[in-house]
Amino acid sequence: MIDDIFTFENLYEAYKKCRLSKQHKGEVIRFEIDLARNLNKLVDVISKHTYKINGYKVFTITDPKKRSVEALPFKDRIVIRCLCDTILCERIERQLIFDNCACRKKKGTLFARNRLLKFLHDEFYRNGKSNDFYFLKIDIAKYFPSINHHILIWQLKYCGFSKEELKFIWDIIKAGEYMNKEKGLPLGNQSSQWFALLYLNKVDRFIKENLKIKGYVRYMDDMVLIHNDKKYLQECLIKIREICNCELKLLLNEPKTQIGQVKNGIDFLGFNHRMTETGKVIIKLRQSAKIRLKRYIKTMNKLYEKEIIDSEYIQIRKNAFTTHLKYSNEKLLFDRINKKYWR
């Protein structure tokens, strides 16, 4: 029941999580001035089925590439967070394969990269300690804008949601500018991340269960398959493309979809992973990622000089970059950048 999901207690817990690192924002402060009343109002409108998501605030980001992000007002972020924490994440989680790595507890980019390393080493030994084998890397063209609403809600029906819950989820999917559209999800929603994890689940299971690919990892719409037979990977690509096109109404990003030898390197999550003849994997930042890193640090310094951010935030970002590069072969690069650019 919807009333059991959106209780005052659940919404309050969601509010506390949504305000983290945002407590200085004006809309958060305004919401907190009359916190109890605002939360009770959300409980009331949801129970009366009169709740509607307000319009999205759209802004553009350019890192790592130019894209539009739609952000919800603070009160709506609380509702979405409450939905995700109480039922959405748990129900969708049950459907996903282990190596679907984005946005899930105890997973993430480092987990995905480590799984890729494991699969490379496994194939190295299966191949008689040789790095003469192949990878298939698949990328979906404009993934979030291409997710079909009707196909998504059909998939959600098999996750155990009630009709009332599905109706609420449908209203979220069709909110704002998406009301009269057949496809597309806003990038800024937590719910959109989970919908995107589920949407390609059919492809995940086809690769693991039908194609019998042992070495497979996915991070959102980036997929990597490892195999010793290039011809078989070519056949896999044809079948995967057919499922994406015909059943999910998705197009592959053909320039980024490729089959190659692992000894020449695999670009995955901002790093190039190249296996040597001895089985060692050299992990280097892609050149474009190096340029973005330097540009980002310069921007942080400018914001610090203008007192828009403080030294504590700078330290948090430094720690994040240190962790990001820790498990790569880029320590010297980071030390050099650290000395030259960071304040």
Side-chain angles (χ1 to χ4, degrees):
M1 292 290 292
I2 289 294
D3 291 348
D4 297 328
I5 299 169
F6 298 103
T7 63
F8 183 92
E9 292 76 16
N10 288 345
L11 286 167
Y12 179 67
E13 290 301 315
Y15 147 77
K16 289 194 293 184
K17 293 175 182 177
C18 287
R19 79 183 293 272
L20 289 174
S21 303
K22 300 287 191 301
Q23 53 265 47
H24 62 285
K25 298 279 180 112
E27 62 173 342
V28 179
I29 294 170
R30 288 189 293 273
F31 191 89
E32 290 179 332
I33 289 173
D34 201 353
L35 179 60
R37 183 172 177 273
N38 285 328
L39 290 178
N40 275 317
K41 185 176 179 181
L42 283 176
V43 173
D44 185 55
V45 295
I46 292 172
S47 66
K48 292 179 179 177
H49 306 285
T50 57
Y51 169 76
K52 296 291 182 184
I53 285 180
N54 289 348
Y56 290 95
K57 179 181 179 181
V58 181
F59 58 95
T60 301
I61 60 172
T62 56
D63 187 14
K65 60 184 179 181
K66 187 175 181 179
R67 65 179 73 182
S68 294
V69 176
E70 299 98 330
L72 284 171
F74 184 65
K75 72 176 184 64
D76 296 317
R77 293 204 300 273
I78 293 172
V79 173
I80 297 294
R81 183 71 190 236
C82 184
L83 176 71
C84 290
D85 288 354
T86 50
I87 61 166
L88 191 70
C89 298
E90 179 188 359
R91 304 269 179 89
I92 292 178
E93 176 73 35
R94 298 173 192 167
Q95 308 297 316
L96 307 180
I97 67 167
F98 183 76
D99 290 306
N100 183 346
C101 302
C103 305
R104 300 166 70 187
K105 287 184 179 179
K106 299 182 180 180
K107 298 189 179 180
T109 55
L110 180 58
F111 178 87
R113 286 167 50 202
N114 284 339
R115 292 298 287 173
L116 176 61
L117 292 180
K118 177 188 182 303
F119 296 140
L120 289 173
H121 287 129
D122 288 349
E123 193 61 41
F124 177 78
Y125 287 106
R126 274 197 299 266
N127 206 38
K129 294 186 178 181
S130 169
N131 66 346
D132 189 21
F133 55 95
Y134 300 87
F135 70 88
L136 164 59
K137 186 173 186 296
I138 297 174
D139 185 85
I140 305 296
K142 298 180 179 178
Y143 182 44
F144 277 75
S146 300
I147 291 177
N148 184 281
H149 297 169
H150 293 282
I151 295 173
L152 173 61
I153 206 71
W154 180 81
Q155 292 176 339
L156 288 165
K157 287 180 181 179
Y158 292 91
C159 294
F161 296 106
S162 68
K163 289 184 178 180
E164 187 181 24
E165 291 164 350
L166 283 172
K167 172 63 169 60
F168 192 88
I169 292 171
W170 180 252
D171 289 341
I172 290 174
I173 294 171
K174 305 297 283 188
E177 64 173 282
Y178 299 94
M179 183 179 297
N180 299 316
K181 295 182 179 180
E182 294 297 314
K183 62 182 182 179
L185 294 176
L187 274 176
N189 277 11
Q190 184 187 7
S191 57
S192 296
Q193 306 296 318
W194 282 90
F195 295 151
L197 290 179
L198 176 67
Y199 198 77
L200 281 169
N201 192 53
K202 184 178 182 66
V203 174
D204 295 338
R205 295 199 170 276
F206 180 77
I207 290 170
K208 297 293 290 184
E209 298 166 9
N210 294 77
L211 299 179
K212 306 296 182 183
I213 297 291
K214 295 179 180 179
Y216 170 66
V217 59
R218 171 161 81 92
Y219 193 92
M220 205 51 78
D221 63 320
D222 288 336
M223 296 170 269
V224 177
L225 292 74
I226 304 296
H227 202 271
N228 64 358
D229 189 338
K230 181 179 180 180
K231 185 177 179 181
Y232 184 66
L233 286 179
Q234 290 171 338
E235 294 171 359
C236 291
L237 176 57
I238 292 171
K239 294 175 182 177
I240 293 168
R241 183 185 286 113
E242 182 179 1
I243 291 175
C244 288
N245 293 353
C246 300
E247 298 187 37
L248 300 178
K249 309 300 181 186
L250 298 173
L251 296 176
L252 301 191
N253 187 335
E254 298 296 346
K256 292 185 178 180
T257 297
Q258 57 179 301
I259 295 174
Q261 293 182 296
V262 297
K263 59 186 174 185
N264 294 330
I266 306 170
D267 284 340
F268 187 56
L269 300 179
F271 289 87
N272 182 270
H273 305 74
R274 180 175 59 85
M275 176 168 271
T276 66
E277 292 180 354
T278 63
K280 182 179 179 180
V281 179
I282 306 298
I283 305 172
K284 293 280 192 176
L285 270 177
R286 292 185 301 182
Q287 188 59 34
S288 59
K290 292 179 183 179
I291 294 171
R292 287 199 306 272
L293 175 58
K294 293 176 183 178
R295 187 186 300 134
Y296 182 86
I297 294 172
K298 288 179 180 178
T299 301
M300 290 294 101
N301 286 331
K302 290 179 182 178
L303 293 176
Y304 178 72
E305 289 170 357
K306 295 178 180 179
E307 298 184 351
I308 296 174
I309 59 177
D310 56 19
S311 57
E312 182 181 358
Y313 184 81
I314 289 283
Q315 189 59 48
I316 290 172
R317 299 314 302 154
K318 285 179 70 172
N319 293 340
F321 280 118
T322 301
T323 303
H324 184 58
L325 297 175
K326 182 178 179 180
Y327 300 98
S328 72
N329 301 99
E330 294 287 14
K331 185 180 185 303
L332 291 177
L333 169 72
F334 185 73
D335 288 344
R336 190 163 63 249
I337 291 175
N338 203 25
K339 291 177 182 178
K340 185 175 181 180
Y341 295 104
W342 283 120
R343 296 293 182 188

